[in-house]
Amino acid sequence: MSEQLTLSAEARDRAGKGASRALRREGRVPAVIYGNNEEPQSIHVEEKLLSKLLGTGHFFNSVVMVEVNGKAVRTLPKDVAFHPVTDRPLHADFLRVSEHATVHVNVPVRFENEDASPGLKKGGVLNIVAHEVELIVDAAEIPDDVVVDLSGLDVGETIHIGAVKLPKGAKAHGESDFTVATIVAPSALKSAEGDNETPAEGA
């Protein structure tokens, strides 16, 4: 399960571009907490700390406890705007969630047991269609990843989301049984087979 992250913040009194620029000069990032039928709250967070959490690789599918003036608010990160040149975070949006709220999160897909796949052993290639899956899940049960077991899969086989074991209580959002990955024959193998069908020159 994704670990819970913590981010300290301060309430932001002034809005507007000028105030936001001044905050960024001080190494702070303007942000807003919204949702859960409450008024949006303007805050600012330390850029270094936000960048560190972004660097964990699972920031967007983790519950983040935003501590504002000593009060912790349970949130899910929804968006971070970055500077187009420097890639510095410019603004962040956090959605308030109750402890067991049902949330939509994008969770990365991880493949395991590649050495137990006959298709991959023959030189087949794993063609990943979905690198992440949108799950509808309890906010307290967000997984780090969705694991796909490749054991026994041969060339030409397709893995659908319906055959993937999802975490307890989680459902995949979107099409009922979309494709996660396929095992395809390598192009070199295909071309070799094609050459064999062609009569040898001068035969």
Side-chain angles (χ1 to χ4, degrees):
M1 201 171 75
S2 284
E3 63 181 291
Q4 188 171 282
L5 305 175
T6 303
L7 184 61
S8 58
E10 291 178 30
R12 182 159 50 106
D13 301 324
R14 293 188 305 135
K17 287 185 178 177
S20 294
R21 276 199 296 268
L23 283 168
R24 290 187 194 108
R25 279 198 297 272
E26 294 166 13
R28 309 290 294 182
V29 179
V32 66
I33 302 173
Y34 66 96
N36 219 14
N37 299 317
E38 294 180 44
E39 285 289 311
Q41 182 178 14
S42 296
I43 59 169
H44 56 92
V45 300
E46 187 184 344
E47 182 185 337
K48 279 183 186 172
L49 188 51
L50 178 61
S51 295
K52 184 180 175 185
L53 296 188
L54 284 163
T56 61
H58 52 84
F59 178 69
F60 286 103
N61 61 319
S62 296
V63 169
V64 177
M65 298 300 286
V66 181
E67 295 176 350
V68 188
N69 301 338
K71 183 188 173 191
V73 183
R74 183 184 302 276
T75 73
L76 264 184
K78 278 297 170 188
D79 189 41
V80 176
F82 295 94
H83 190 284
V85 177
T86 63
D87 260 355
R88 287 176 62 182
L90 297 176
H91 191 276
D93 291 346
F94 296 91
L95 174 68
R96 285 187 197 95
V97 292
S98 52
E99 187 174 0
H100 289 289
T102 299
V103 295
H104 288 240
V105 286
N106 290 327
V107 177
V109 177
R110 179 167 59 86
F111 296 89
E112 63 177 27
N113 295 328
E114 294 187 21
D115 54 349
S117 161
L120 295 179
K121 278 186 171 177
K122 287 178 198 166
V125 177
L126 180 63
N127 176 38
I128 301 171
V129 178
H131 287 272
E132 57 182 26
V133 174
E134 185 178 352
L135 292 184
I136 304 167
V137 65
D138 186 312
E141 301 289 339
I142 300 170
D144 286 330
D145 47 32
V146 169
V147 178
V148 176
D149 187 352
L150 299 172
S151 300
L153 295 174
D154 213 334
V155 170
E157 292 201 63
T158 299
I159 305 148
H160 293 103
I161 193 65
V164 176
K165 188 179 178 187
L166 295 176
K168 186 183 171 187
K171 288 191 302 183
H173 178 69
E175 296 170 47
S176 57
D177 205 18
F178 57 86
T179 299
V180 177
T182 56
I183 296 180
V184 295
S187 51
L189 196 64
K190 284 180 185 169
S191 63
E193 286 168 357
D195 289 346
N196 291 341
E197 291 164 15
T198 311
E201 220 174 292

